Amino acid sequence: MCGIVGYVGEEQAAPILLEGLAKLEYRGYDSAGIAVRNETSGDISIVKAKGRLKILSEKTDNGRSVHGTCGIGHTRWATHGEPSENNAHPHCTDDKSVVLVHNGIIENYQELKDKLVKSGYTFYSQTDTEIAVKLVDYYYKKTGTPLEALTRSMLRIRGSYAFGVMFHDHPGKLFAARKDSPLIIGRSSSGSLIASDVPAILDKTRHVYYIDNMEIAELTKDEVHFYNIDREEIQKEIVEIKWDAESAEKGGYEHFMLKEIHEQPKAVQDMIGAYVKDGAIDFSEVGLDDAALKEFERIYIVACGSAYHVGMAGKYVFEDLARIPVEVDLASEFRYRNPIVAPNSLVIIVSQSGETADSLAALRLMKEREVPVMGIVNVVGSSIARESDYTLYTYAGPEISVATTKAYSTQLIAMYLLAIQAAKEKEMIDDDRYAELLAEMETLPSKIQKTLDDKERIQWFASKYANARDIFFIGRGLDYAISLEGSLKMKEISYIHSEAYAAGELKHGPISLVENGILVVGVLTQSDLFEKTLSNMVEVKSRGAYLMGLTTYGNYNIEDTADFSVYVPKTEEYFTTSLAIVPLQLMGYYVSVAKGLDVDKPRNLAKSVTVE
Ligand code: G6P
């Protein structure tokens, strides 16, 4: 979603802002803008453009035509008001006394607007951000200090925000404030930076501060001061980001998505290596001891998008292996349905970004009710990571493509690890079985690699089906969980309508959609369900469907039914999701490429959905 970058220092700001915004492109946006203060004249220039960042770069000669060493930049993903230059950020007051960029949503914007109109302010855009900048200006004119203007505005605003702000009367200074929308502060050798996400400033610095809710930062080229909402100065520790800048680059691949698909063997390896030590699972880093894990009688997995599909796979593994009942919920449903959470339960929130608004709200609801919460999170220091009682990091590294792949794969490993350890603690498996499961899990990286090595076949098949109108994915049990994710990958990036159905449900409606030539992908990795799903495939075939079968090596009789078959290596059946998802990710990718679409930044989608 929207991205923020700010810089104050010794270098020219505009090129740094544009480079930083380019690193945030993956979050999804529809317009962009920068504001830079010229030290000599004192003027603040604002340049904005609708559409891709390259238009803004062209307008400013890659930033060279906008002079000054202090500035803020923004990529906007429209919420209030259409994507347009007028609605793009930065927004400012008529006299440019305050210039501001904003991520998030101001819920009481109408009420604030009415108040400001009465005080003589005029509005030119349809954004809630223009209300924020004018509210800050209103309090600035009243109090004369930026800090008080910001804190008083923060107390009036309901909703979520991360702000980057410049005041005309305070040259060489940037201000930042946040509530429920991510924002970090960086210190580099040449100055200070603000950013909504780590990749934006990674090639400038790896040293950052995290601003918490209702806190304000004041940045100059030499130092950063932090304040709470009562305007008392607070001390913060600088944190070193371990990701390197290179991992946020394409590294020779045509798209981030393809690069990230290929990084899965390493991501899975890193993930296993982080938690399996000397033949045993070690959750000490998570803060969860085995005795605590044993006490949980019920698990709720709450997430959005692909992370929800990880929860679906996790349910099958947990319930079968550890015999713990698991409920899986979409965060947007869970948070609003007054959920009943049984005593001795653990709520697991799964999130790559750690900032998804609904997942974060679900977490906070559980914390209010004093239910223990574990966050399975990729982005270090993100809100869900920091607010969870137990934080289990996935070691996928920065994921840039909107459609998740490697983060999803590491989240699956987190599920296996938790389920195996819970099974051991609850004495559902003995030591031999425990060792056998861990040993098999260690083979997953090389088996994922083997699956990737077969990608040309998928590429060929994808090019044949690039013009499909509808695709159906069917499977049972874990194969249904894989189907859900395969179908999401397909629709996200190829814009082909696709649905996943539990194969047993076909007769209850979906089969009426099957007509001549329609593509149905059957997933059959679970031996006890193989025959059942196969007979569902026969049913759709006899109604004209074209069949792709996805199964494990050895199940060659699938070729009697399927028109095109894809095989993945055999593994412990709890882990097949990790392998079978790879051809489906590749299929979505290659269909998108064949259609000439923007694979990494599909239309209307955002990497991190920080508003509900
Ligand atoms: C967006 C992304 C998906 C992701 C979902 C949940 O829709 O495009 O790839 O699965 O958000 O995001 P999270 O960061 O919470 O995992």
Side-chain angles (χ1 to χ4, degrees), residues 304-307 350-354 356 359 402-404 411 492 606-607 609:
C304 304
S306 297
V350 188
S351 175
Q352 186 285 129
S353 63
T356 301
S359 305
V402 164
T404 181
Q411 290 163 352
E492 277 182 309
K607 179 72 183 159
V609 181

